[in-house]
Amino acid sequence: MKLLFLVSGLVFAMSATPCFTQTTNALANPQPPTSGQPGTPVSAPPKLLIFHAPAGDSGGILPIRVGGGSRGGVADDLSVEVLVPDQVAFTTQAQPSLYWYQSKEAKTQCEVSVTEPKNPTPLLLLKSSAATPPGIHAIRLTKFNIKLKPNVLYRWSVAVIVDPENRSQDIIATGVIKRIDPSPELASKLSQASDTDKPALYAQNGIWYDALQSISDQIDHAPQDASLREERAGLLKQVGMDGVQMNADLSKSP
């Protein structure tokens, strides 16, 4: 699939690895490990990631999280959700990853954008040129020449373009992200923590995007570990994301 994207007003074309890769059927319903079988991976018991949401901050942007869905037509029963709380959510990174969930295949184009206040030109605009598969998708900002500034409220959105001639029919989901500096105490703990402990640390301290990214990165490296998927599913349910399938494979992303 060829991907067109706009970064700070410049248009590029990418024809390498597709942005939204197809869900791997072999992992859609992983079988639990059977004890006693040599070589069978054994999943550790899932940890409960407790997200302590920071004090509400709309930043003048309402609504915070918007999900999109459709009934009938080319996008029958398709829903799109950005994987964020219904509030301004935080990251400590200049180039975090952004995650969203698509309930079924979109037979039309999909567009992802990141915008900042008082700037009519998107910082990032990605548009697929073919159908996008169902599952969890990610955009890794480390692969683009943009960085989030501290204490700025950015809005990002995912739009399934049902009718290119009538964009008012788009199925749109939006969220808000704000970059903050970690407290000295949290920074110290993170510097000593293992990768497996970082999701809980981020969640306990209200750093949503980093908690989701750190647990998703672990899933990406160990896709057969069902306990990691359960940890992520539990985290998403705490912010009302009950409809995201636990076994939706993490898409490789740009």
Side-chain angles (χ1 to χ4, degrees), residues 4 31 47 53-54 57 77 113 119 159 204 212 215 227:
L4 302 180
Q31 298 298 316
K47 300 175 183 177
D57 176 13
D77 291 328
S113 64
N119 186 351
Q204 291 166 6
L212 180 59
I215 186 62
S227 68

Side-chain angles (χ1 to χ4, degrees), residues 152-222:
V152 174
L153 295 173
Y154 294 88
R155 182 183 285 276
W156 67 283
S157 65
V158 179
V160 174
I161 305 172
V162 177
D163 182 358
E165 302 300 322
N166 184 6
R167 294 297 300 271
S168 65
Q169 299 298 313
D170 287 3
I171 302 172
I172 302 175
T174 65
V176 176
I177 183 170
K178 181 179 181 181
R179 178 187 169 191
I180 64 170
D181 292 326
S183 67
E185 180 183 4
L186 176 58
S188 176
K189 290 181 178 179
L190 288 170
S191 67
Q192 302 174 52
S194 65
D195 288 344
T196 57
D197 291 332
K198 286 181 179 179
L201 271 175
Y202 283 124
Q204 291 166 6
N205 287 273
I207 313 295
W208 172 264
Y209 284 94
D210 298 2
L212 180 59
Q213 180 175 339
S214 54
I215 186 62
S216 294
D217 284 346
Q218 290 184 45
I219 293 171
D220 202 18
H221 288 103

